[in-house]
Amino acid sequence: MTDIQYTPRELIVCAAARLLSDGESVFVGTGLPLVGALLAKKLHAPNMMAIYECGAVDPEPRELPWSVACSWTCYKAPIILSMSSVFGHSRAGYADVGFLGGAQIDMYGNINATCIGPYDQPTVRLTGSGGANDIASLSDRVIFMGLHLPERFPEKCDYITSPGFLDGPGGRERAGLLGQGPWRVISHLGVMGFDDETCRMKLISYHPGVTPEIVQQFTGFELLIPDDVIETPKPSEEELRLLREEVDPNQLFCF
Amino acid sequence: MTHANERLFDHKAAREWKLKKTRAEKDKRMSLKDAVAEFVEDGDSLIETGFAYVRGPMAAYFEIGRQKKKDLVGIFTPGGISTVWHEFGGLEGAHVAYVGVEMRGLISPFRRGVEAGTLKVYSDWSHGALSLSLRAAEQGVNYVASKSMLGTDLMKSNPYIKEDRDPWTGEPVCLIPAMYPDLAIIHVHHADKYGNGRIWGAVVNDTAIAVAARKVVVTCERIVDSADIRSNPYQVIVPHYCVDAVCEVPYGAWPGDMPGLYYFDRRLQEKIVRTLWKTAEGTKEYYEKYIMGTRNQYEMLAMAAEDEGVNAIDYVKQLEQLACDAFCYGMGSWGVGGEREWKYEEVAKRLI
């Protein structure tokens, strides 16, 4: 077999798509998650029900849309509600998975999408929450996707926009939050989960060409590395073909 | 004159204002220029509608730029284009749930303003929380108790919300008050001359916004007969009694997406977002060339077409070909007033 070539973003998207199951409902945030959700639907999860914050539920999106609200995303949706309604439906229990990106994620799975540096005088002002906080607060469990760098995986986020386990075990319950919280983190170096007892981020698999040591080097906190970590399977030819030909044919995002 | 923020949660004053609005079926048609001159006042809080670049009233925002309105306070759930006026004195502060262009990243003029301390972020929200704030106004309740934002820094940096205990279960809840912005401009597919507005695609927050806001300007792709609206009221998202002015502005959401009619002007958007807005100089060039250098949406369209070396009519036809069919938005056709070919002619007429 010839060696399959792929970009870091393609690997992230393929690894993330595998985590979505057929028949689940997934609240999809913008950016990489949108690409992952479109790929999963074309691969193994044709009956996955996507929810978008503009109000569209279960559409059949065309190739990579520009926005989670645009007409390519909402295409053929059987119902288009309002923003407050779809978040209400999540809180009611209709969102199994929240699928998110962000600028930073810390050891307890808290996510920052607001600012780098102090809030009042930020070095970088980011977009703000958008639907991210609601997706993380109201879905049953949460998948995060992003690039893996020490400053993007700090011990503590500069600002907590979306809740993970907050300050650790019991944090969500004390704050009054619903849902199980963070479940998986996909980066271009590996797939992470969270330790049941300590709620700290742990490595589940490292991507081809990477070692657990490299993943640790690019993480700004001590990553738990269990003995049973494995190598992430490479993207398959079928995954890459669908991604390149049907999901993102113009290589707008998975460059 | 009080600051816009002092009016934002004043439910009594908002009610008094609305009690004075006319309920009569009055012909509210006027030019966009006149509507912006009359209803957009310096210092107003302006809530963006649609989903920023999807069904957003772009032509109206450009006109606000041309008329050099001052010190607006933006409310962004989400928001986009009007953050750009900050560098020309148009935007003084913002209440933010989201300001960005999704996969294309941040809106640089907004970022520069906040980082330099010249653009104030008065409050940060989640989309869910801000949409509930508007929904509370629409539903006529003082506040709602939500499970969003709990435990996060949003609770600390938003001065308008409170954490409390649910009186029944004792659980923590986030209390979100009803919000009443000064002004909303809503772009729809069809409207009658009284202001009843009909759309295809996602309403996002617009029905709540229409009821919450004090002043509402409707811009539409096409004015249709009131009988057309009354024969199919199910996609009407803005009721006439909320509306102060109706402006027919074909291509009013360009360069954004208008579901079923035309898709994002992707090349122009890429150029603006990824190049021009990245620097203050580029933003000034954009402002002077596209906004101040044109008198209306059609001159701007013609300019964009000329940049690409294309005839303006061919240019809009290309955008139309990317649009999704109307039948995918809940109707078998465009309805009584909705045949597709009229637009080229309308745009052509206005281009002459």
Side-chain angles (χ1 to χ4, degrees):
Chain A
M1 199 173 103
T2 52
D3 225 20
I4 299 169
Q5 298 291 313
Y6 49 87
T7 69
R9 281 173 193 245
E10 285 176 335
L11 178 61
I12 296 182
V13 168
C14 292
R18 291 176 201 148
L19 294 172
L20 304 177
S21 307
D22 204 22
E24 268 181 336
S25 63
V26 182
F27 207 121
V28 184
T30 195
L32 280 170
L34 176 56
V35 189
L38 296 187
L39 180 61
K41 214 167 157 61
K42 292 202 185 283
L43 279 167
H44 56 272
N47 302 308
M48 182 197 85
M49 183 181 98
I51 308 172
Y52 295 95
E53 61 202 71
C54 65
V57 183
D58 200 23
E60 295 172 12
R62 309 212 319 199
E63 66 181 58
L64 193 65
W66 260 54
S67 162
V68 282
C70 79
S71 49
W72 288 12
T73 305
C74 301
Y75 193 62
K76 291 193 178 177
I79 187 163
I80 307 181
L81 300 158
S82 68
M83 187 184 271
S84 53
S85 299
V86 281
F87 287 125
H89 294 198
S90 305
R91 192 259 161 91
Y94 284 110
D96 299 322
V97 178
F99 204 15
L100 283 179
Q104 290 183 323
I105 184 164
D106 71 17
M107 61 193 281
Y108 291 122
N110 302 305
I111 299 165
N112 176 12
T114 303
C115 57
I116 302 298
Y119 177 75
D120 294 327
Q121 277 183 310
T123 331
V124 183
R125 169 68 208 201
L126 303 165
T127 58
S129 163
N133 172 281
D134 311 286
I135 294 173
S137 300
L138 307 174
S139 307
D140 191 44
R141 60 185 199 281
V142 176
I143 301 175
F144 175 90
M145 301 171 76
L147 296 178
H148 206 132
L149 296 165
E151 63 271 24
R152 282 175 169 264
F153 280 61
E155 189 167 334
K156 209 169 176 308
C157 286
D158 294 1
Y159 184 99
I160 299 180
T161 312
S162 307
F165 294 110
L166 298 173
D167 55 358
R172 284 182 78 89
E173 292 74 16
R174 283 191 294 277
L177 287 161
L178 305 166
Q180 300 172 48
W183 178 58
R184 290 289 182 272
V185 175
I186 328 285
S187 74
H188 69 290
L189 298 180
V191 177
M192 278 65 66
F194 292 86
D195 183 66
D196 288 342
E197 267 174 42
T198 62
C199 294
R200 281 175 52 188
M201 198 185 292
K202 65 172 185 186
L203 188 63
I204 290 176
S205 72
Y206 49 91
H207 294 335
V210 175
T211 62
E213 292 70 36
I214 293 176
V215 183
Q216 176 61 72
Q217 266 175 21
F218 281 85
T219 306
F221 52 85
E222 190 200 337
L223 191 63
L224 302 179
I225 303 182
D227 296 334
D228 58 353
V229 289
I230 53 165
E231 189 177 89
T232 315
K234 283 183 181 174
S236 70
E237 284 180 44
E238 179 67 356
E239 284 171 333
L240 289 172
R241 187 188 66 78
L242 284 169
L243 182 56
R244 289 168 186 171
E245 290 176 17
E246 294 189 24
V247 176
D248 186 15
N250 297 317
Q251 307 280 299
L252 283 173
F253 203 58
C254 295
F255 47 84
Chain B
M1 184 71 179
T2 55
H3 190 272
N5 289 352
E6 291 171 44
R7 297 187 292 273
L8 201 52
F9 297 95
D10 188 342
H11 66 94
K12 286 182 184 162
R15 179 179 154 87
E16 285 306 313
W17 181 286
K18 284 155 196 170
L19 280 167
K20 293 195 183 89
K21 287 176 82 152
T22 180
R23 284 77 166 109
E25 280 205 323
K26 187 180 143 197
D27 185 350
K28 296 167 190 157
R29 284 174 296 177
M30 59 173 78
S31 72
L32 183 59
K33 210 174 188 170
D34 290 347
V36 168
E38 184 173 346
F39 293 105
V40 185
E41 293 168 272
D42 293 349
D44 271 353
S45 57
L46 166 69
I47 182 157
E48 282 204 15
T49 57
F51 198 89
Y53 285 99
V54 179
R55 202 173 46 71
M58 294 296 147
Y61 298 152
F62 298 146
E63 186 57 29
I64 288 174
R66 281 188 201 101
Q67 295 193 17
K68 299 189 173 171
K69 297 291 182 180
K70 294 283 166 221
D71 298 329
L72 299 172
V73 174
I75 303 166
F76 301 124
T77 179
I81 183 79
S82 51
T83 58
V84 176
W85 304 149
H86 166 65
E87 289 182 343
F88 314 102
L91 191 77
E92 174 250 347
H95 302 276
V96 178
Y98 186 90
V99 172
V101 258
E102 303 185 42
M103 296 188 204
R104 271 129 203 102
L106 309 171
I107 293 183
S108 306
F110 170 75
R111 183 188 152 175
R112 281 196 296 273
V114 177
E115 288 164 17
T118 53
L119 177 56
K120 300 180 193 91
V121 175
Y122 289 116
S123 60
D124 256 284
W125 304 68
S126 70
H127 264 165
L130 192 36
S131 71
L132 278 174
S133 181
L134 299 159
R135 194 65 177 265
E138 185 207 357
Q139 303 288 343
V141 295
N142 286 29
Y143 62 87
V144 291
S146 160
K147 282 290 190 183
S148 286
M149 307 219 287
L150 291 167
T152 67
D153 289 325
L154 289 168
M155 294 300 292
K156 295 171 203 155
S157 52
N158 184 320
Y160 303 109
I161 56 166
K162 290 180 194 298
E163 187 179 322
D164 207 338
R165 298 266 159 188
D166 178 330
W168 286 274
T169 64
E171 287 173 59
V173 284
C174 169
L175 302 186
I176 302 166
M179 178 188 276
Y180 304 90
D182 290 327
L183 171 71
I185 306 170
I186 302 175
H187 190 63
V188 299
H189 292 73
H190 297 163
D192 65 14
K193 60 187 175 187
Y194 313 124
N196 294 302
R198 173 161 74 199
I199 66 154
W200 280 258
V203 58
V204 194
N205 294 308
D206 289 359
T207 298
I209 288 171
V211 181
R214 288 172 169 80
K215 297 178 284 184
V216 179
V217 173
V218 164
T219 64
C220 64
E221 291 289 322
R222 191 179 198 187
I223 299 270
V224 296
D225 198 277
S226 200
D228 183 344
I229 296 279
R230 283 175 183 272
S231 67
N232 174 27
Y234 304 107
Q235 290 167 276
V236 174
I237 59 151
V238 184
H240 71 86
Y241 48 85
C242 298
V243 176
D244 297 284
V246 182
C247 314
E248 189 178 49
V249 190
Y251 265 79
W254 172 81
D257 171 37
M258 193 63 184
L261 287 181
Y262 45 89
Y263 200 56
F264 285 102
D265 190 333
R266 295 177 293 179
R267 287 171 68 97
L268 180 63
Q269 285 279 74
E270 290 278 6
K271 188 166 96 181
I272 292 171
V273 172
R274 292 204 208 251
T275 312
L276 289 172
W277 285 356
K278 287 289 178 202
T279 61
E281 301 73 51
T283 308
K284 193 157 181 283
E285 186 192 324
Y286 161 80
Y287 179 71
E288 281 170 2
K289 180 181 171 186
Y290 289 98
I291 312 297
M292 301 312 283
T294 59
R295 283 172 302 177
N296 56 45
Q297 191 78 339
Y298 310 100
E299 288 191 2
M300 209 197 291
L301 255 169
M303 185 178 274
E306 202 183 308
D307 284 353
E308 294 286 323
V310 186
N311 167 294
I313 299 297
D314 291 339
Y315 191 77
V316 297
K317 278 188 178 174
Q318 282 174 14
L319 298 173
E320 270 216 12
Q321 278 157 7
L322 294 167
C324 296
D325 296 330
F327 79 84
C328 293
Y329 293 96
M331 238 187 129
S333 73
W334 283 103
V336 182
E339 70 276 17
R340 293 188 66 130
E341 287 305 313
W342 68 273
K343 271 191 290 41
Y344 306 132
E345 292 160 28
E346 287 298 308
V347 171
K349 247 190 286 176
R350 287 167 165 84
L351 281 170
I352 294 163

